[in-house]
Amino acid sequence: MRGKTLLIRLAALAVCIAVAAAMMVIGRGHTLYFDNKTIEDYQGQEYKAYERVVVTVKGEEVAKLGKRERGSAIWIGQSFKMTLEITEKKGEEPVVKEISLKLPYDMDGIVVNLPALLAGLPEEAWLSEFVPAV
């Protein structure tokens, strides 16, 4: 009888470890916010907002952003992929770019400034944590 109880406990422990490992691989959920806002003064430079940015995630259009607008998407996992259709100035043809990002484990609400990201600035310039206003 004692051996059977020990076996059941070990099996339950193995199932818990397997679930924990699967959750580690899958990752956690994030809410991503996409900003199309001008960066006023980053190291003495200004990065202007685009006329229009269309954000597509997993084949679904999640945001159409004009200047000074914000859109959002929900994502599970740490590797994020999106397609951006960018119109820099009024009347120009849009340019399509595929973007892949590694999301931080410690943030739930992540704000991505698209002009700073597409300008190739470091992560601290285009990534911040969303803090709701009280």
Side-chain angles (χ1 to χ4, degrees), residues 27-82:
R28 63 183 291 183
H30 301 278
T31 302
L32 283 105
Y33 299 96
F34 310 105
D35 275 353
N36 184 23
K37 297 180 181 177
T38 298
I39 298 275
E40 294 296 328
D41 186 31
Y42 182 77
Q43 297 181 344
Q45 294 228 15
E46 182 178 70
Y47 297 91
K48 296 222 179 254
Y50 299 109
E51 185 65 33
R52 169 119 3 245
V53 179
V54 178
V55 183
T56 305
V57 177
K58 288 186 179 177
E60 180 184 338
E61 185 179 294
V62 294
K64 268 188 187 173
L65 307 174
K67 291 180 179 179
R68 296 177 301 281
E69 290 184 342
R70 175 179 282 173
S72 68
I74 304 293
W75 187 261
I76 295 176
Q78 301 312 119
S79 298
F80 177 70
K81 293 180 183 175
M82 65 181 162

Side-chain angles (χ1 to χ4, degrees), residues 19 27 64 69 90 108 132:
V19 168
K64 268 188 187 173
E69 290 184 342
K90 204 171 199 172
D108 289 328

